[in-house]
Each structure stands twice: as C-alpha cells, then as structure tokens.
Amino acid sequence: MTRHQADPHDTVAPAADPASVKRAVVAGGVGSVLEWYDFFAYGTAASLVFGHVFFPNISSAGGTLAAFATYGVGFFARPVGGVVFSHFGDRVGRKTILVITLVMMGVATTLIGLLPSYEAIGIAAPIMLVVLRLVQGFAAGGELGGAIVLALEYSGAKRRGFNTSWMACGVIGGLLLSSAVFTVCTAVFSETAFREYGWRVPFLISILLVATGIYIRLRLEESPLFDEVRKSAPEVRVPVVEVVRTHKRSLLVVMGARLIDNGVFFIYSVYLLNYAQTTTSLSSTAALIGLSTSCVVALVCVPWFATLSDRYGRRPVFMAGAGLSILAAFPIFALATTGNPLLFGLALVLGISVGWGLVTSVVGAYFAELFPARLRYSGITLGREISSIFAGGLSPFIAAALLAATGSIWPVAGYAILLSAVSLVAVYFGPETYRLESLS
C-alpha cells in the first residue's frame, strides 16, 4: 500500500481550534530551539576549542579530527534514540516523548559544561565527553520528528507546510542562539580565558533554557488525530518493523532527501566555521557573526518558502533548493575562504538561508505526509536518523579528512555537490504529497 491509496483505518479527527494549532506549533518550535541549541553548542565548541581542551597531546589537525569524531558520535546514537522514542510515540503519544527528549538533552549538555579537561583527569575526560555526546544524540533522535508530527497533525490541509516549517525555524533558532552566545563569549573573554573556562558558559545556561521548553510542552494537549486513530484502529505492535515492511519507497525517499538537509547544512554551519577561523585570517567572532546573520535571514526565508510548497508542491521547492546547492557550491566555498567577513557572511546566506532554506522548509511536511498516522512518528524518524549517520554525522569529519589528504578545499565542495545530487534524485523519483486531504 502506498501513501496515496486508501487506508482501511482512515478516520477523521475533530478539527483543532486555532488556539490549539498555535500552541502546538509554538511548543514544537520553541522546544526545538532549546534542544537544538544544546546540539549545536557542541558543534561550535568542537570547531573552536574541544581539540585543545580534550585532545591536547596531538597535532592541531589531529585534534580537530578527534573533536569532529566525537561530534559525529552523537549522530550514531540518533537512530537508536529515534527507534526507541518513535516506537512509544506511535503507541503512547507524541507529547510525553517530546518532554522526555528535552530533559535528557538539557541534562547531558549541562554536564558537558562541567567536564574537567584532559589535563585535569587524563583520558577519562574525552571518554566522558563521548558518553554525554551519545546521550545528546539519543535524545535528539526522537525530538524533531515528534515535533513535526505533532504540528502536522494539528494543521489544516492548506497550511501543513507553513506550520511544520516552524520546526525547521526551531533548528535555525537553536543554531542562532548557540552562535550568538558563543559570539558574546568570544568577545567578552580573552582567547586564553575562553579556551580555559569561557567555553563552558553556553553549556551551563542550557538548564535554564530547557526548563522553559519543558513548561511550554507540558501545557500542550495530545494530537487530536493520534487520539482518534488510537481509538479506531488496531495498535501496531512494532511500528518500525511495519514501516520497513509496508513503506520501503517512502523510507528511501526520506533517507535520500536527508543527505542535503542534514549533511550539507553541517558542512556549512560547522566545518566552514572551523576552516575559516583556523585557515584564513577570519576571527572566531567574525565567523560566528556571519553564521548568525545567515540564521536571521533563514528565519525570514524558510516560512515563506514553505508557503510556496503549500501552493505549488513539496517537490518543486525541494528540488529548487537542491539544484541551487549544486550550482552554488564552488562559489560558496570561494567566498568563504577569502577571509573577508562580509564575503564569508554572504557565502553562508547563499548556502544556508537560500539553498538549504528551500530544502528544509518542506522536508517536515513532506516526510510526515509520506506515512499514515499509525506509523508517522516511526517512519519520519527512522528515515531521518539513519541517513543522519552518513550525512551530518560524518560530513564535518569527511570534510576535514578531505582537506588533510589533499591540501585543498575544493574536494569538500565536490562532496557537498554529491550529497545535494543524491537528494535531488531521491525526491525527483518520490511522490508529491501536498494535495493529500486525509493524514490518517
């Protein structure tokens, strides 16, 4: 059975009132901001200081590779967390799982801020760092998929793209908040003080931010569509197995499309940040300002791009973004490697705000619409998180390895093009979903 055939368990959920829809979107978006703040804070610290703090006894390039390797570990934990949380999300409900993931992420991030350095406790320091990174990844695996599903199931047919795009804005907001806090810290602390203790501040304030997100999510009601489906349709014992058995095509589309949404994004937001401040004359503060600027522009662009997908379809908007990412990859890298703050900011606006913005504006709605309600959390999460291992989890490490092996940044641009091309092909052969009336 494909997603476009009638489901024998189709049911019509009661229409949600506008206030409830708004609460669902805000709860998902704000929670995503706070949770992804934690996740991106790790990536920024890995770019700027973790090589020095936790891997001081190897070369600078080796320390960078080691830091990015610990960064990638979180992505290997994401599919495990995704399978666990989506299983209960499809059987018990979306809301409870979203509170649990937020708590886990906040605790792990705060503890990273309290970790002693390698010089203080030796090899135990990087080991503990990896363990906490695994907890971060485990929690993140169940977060965004659940937030997207909840917002989608509250939305009317004509605004699903727009409403779910605010989960993507939550990811951008988390990156913006993280980069803004690190920008302030690098400006306030001297370079030595930042390396010694200033980097800990963004991690320690996480507990206050997460408490805010928990409060917002606890006030949210369960998805009305999920409640109706749970009453009218038989429970699926193992949703992940059912997804693999009955929705292989949808799963492959999600996995392929995720390469650009996740992999190319982290090349620009994590790897280029490290490259610019270690290889060119660009300061850490200037690089972070450029990243923050691209996030602000993306927050404006993404909802607008999503409205286009509600009107013209998910696939055309996605493929426009993937095509632009292919054509603009070499110009983006050429601008980013000049050492000029304005040109670096322009590169990130083109790569993140526009190219990636077109893609990420639609993937929430598109991925979720590919699966029926009984399997939606599991379907979107399984496809997203398996692909994340090979996309965002490895892309900064592969980029750093390409540079170390070749001495040139251009193979990294070619790698970004390859990821974009695979995603373009995946969605080209995927179905269109924006006209679906029933989400059950």
Side-chain angles (χ1 to χ4, degrees):
M1 182 184 68
T2 69
R3 184 66 193 98
H4 296 279
Q5 293 173 331
D7 190 322
H9 305 298
D10 273 0
T11 186
V12 179
D17 62 275
S20 296
V21 174
K22 183 178 180 180
R23 281 196 298 270
V25 173
V26 170
V30 171
S32 293
V33 168
L34 303 180
E35 186 145 2
W36 286 92
Y37 165 84
D38 293 349
F39 207 73
F40 287 127
Y42 191 103
T44 303
S47 296
L48 300 179
V49 297
F50 276 0
H52 166 79
V53 175
F54 295 104
F55 307 98
N57 294 333
I58 55 181
S59 67
S60 176
T64 298
L65 284 170
F68 281 146
T70 65
Y71 175 78
V73 162
F75 286 86
F76 285 87
R78 284 174 61 155
V80 181
V83 168
V84 171
F85 288 126
S86 64
H87 173 82
F88 291 103
D90 277 332
R91 288 172 60 92
V92 178
R94 289 57 161 120
K95 173 187 170 180
T96 301
I97 300 304
L98 291 175
V99 172
I100 293 172
T101 58
L102 200 59
V103 171
M104 288 184 63
M105 181 69 80
V107 171
T109 302
T110 302
L111 290 177
I112 289 173
L114 297 172
L115 273 183
S117 67
Y118 183 93
E119 292 183 354
I121 62 172
I123 192 66
I127 291 175
M128 293 169 67
L129 179 69
V130 170
V131 171
L132 291 173
R133 181 59 175 168
L134 286 170
V135 175
Q136 274 194 326
F138 188 82
E143 161 58 27
L144 190 59
I148 289 170
V149 167
L150 195 64
L152 182 93
E153 292 180 346
Y154 264 98
S155 302
K158 295 182 179 181
R159 291 177 65 84
R160 293 195 295 252
F162 177 78
N163 286 344
T164 56
S165 74
W166 291 102
M167 306 312 108
C169 288
V171 178
I172 300 166
L175 175 57
L176 175 60
L177 186 59
S178 171
S179 62
V181 171
F182 271 95
T183 300
V184 172
C185 289
T186 57
V188 169
F189 296 105
S190 67
E191 183 174 350
T192 301
F194 179 75
R195 286 193 169 195
E196 292 300 321
Y197 56 84
W199 66 269
R200 300 179 183 275
V201 173
F203 291 89
L204 295 177
I205 67 175
S206 169
I207 196 67
L208 300 176
L209 300 174
V210 170
T212 303
I214 292 172
Y215 171 76
I216 292 172
R217 284 189 170 173
L218 285 174
R219 298 178 65 235
L220 183 67
E221 298 296 327
E222 183 55 78
S223 157
L225 177 60
F226 176 81
D227 279 341
E228 290 299 313
V229 169
R230 183 163 52 178
K231 294 174 184 176
S232 62
E235 186 175 70
V236 180
R237 291 190 60 187
V238 187
V240 168
V241 173
E242 189 69 10
V243 166
V244 174
R245 189 179 71 84
T246 62
H247 289 77
K248 294 184 181 67
R249 180 190 181 193
S250 295
L251 197 60
L252 290 173
V253 171
V254 173
M255 292 172 63
R258 182 70 168 150
L259 293 180
I260 182 174
D261 179 45
N262 193 240
V264 175
F265 174 72
F266 281 107
I267 289 175
Y268 292 148
S269 64
V270 174
Y271 177 73
L272 275 185
L273 190 72
N274 172 265
Y275 179 88
Q277 62 95 30
T278 58
T279 309
T280 75
S281 59
L282 198 68
S283 68
S284 297
T285 300
L288 287 166
I289 290 173
L291 181 59
S292 298
T293 300
S294 70
C295 291
V296 171
V297 177
L299 287 174
V300 176
C301 291
V302 167
W304 182 67
F305 293 151
T307 62
L308 296 180
S309 80
D310 282 331
R311 181 176 300 180
Y312 302 110
R314 317 295 184 212
R315 293 171 67 252
V317 175
F318 183 101
M319 289 190 289
L324 177 62
S325 294
I326 292 171
L327 296 175
F330 282 102
I332 287 170
F333 276 80
L335 292 171
T337 56
T338 61
N340 182 293
L342 292 178
L343 294 181
F344 180 79
L346 178 60
L348 293 189
V349 167
L350 184 59
I352 293 177
S353 310
V354 183
W356 177 79
L358 282 162
V359 167
T360 203
S361 70
V362 304
V363 293
Y366 185 49
F367 291 174
E369 288 167 342
L370 289 169
F371 302 96
R374 296 177 302 128
L375 306 173
R376 181 165 292 127
Y377 202 151
S378 296
I380 185 175
T381 301
L382 183 64
R384 280 173 48 86
E385 302 311 333
I386 289 178
S387 189
S388 292
I389 296 176
F390 307 101
L394 292 178
S395 59
F397 181 84
I398 290 174
L402 286 172
L403 178 65
T406 65
S408 171
I409 194 66
W410 303 116
V412 181
Y415 174 52
I417 290 173
L418 176 63
L419 294 177
S420 302
V422 173
S423 291
L424 179 63
V425 171
V427 172
Y428 176 79
F429 286 105
E432 182 56 80
T433 60
Y434 81 111
R435 294 184 185 275
L436 290 175
E437 292 297 329
S438 172
L439 288 176
S440 57

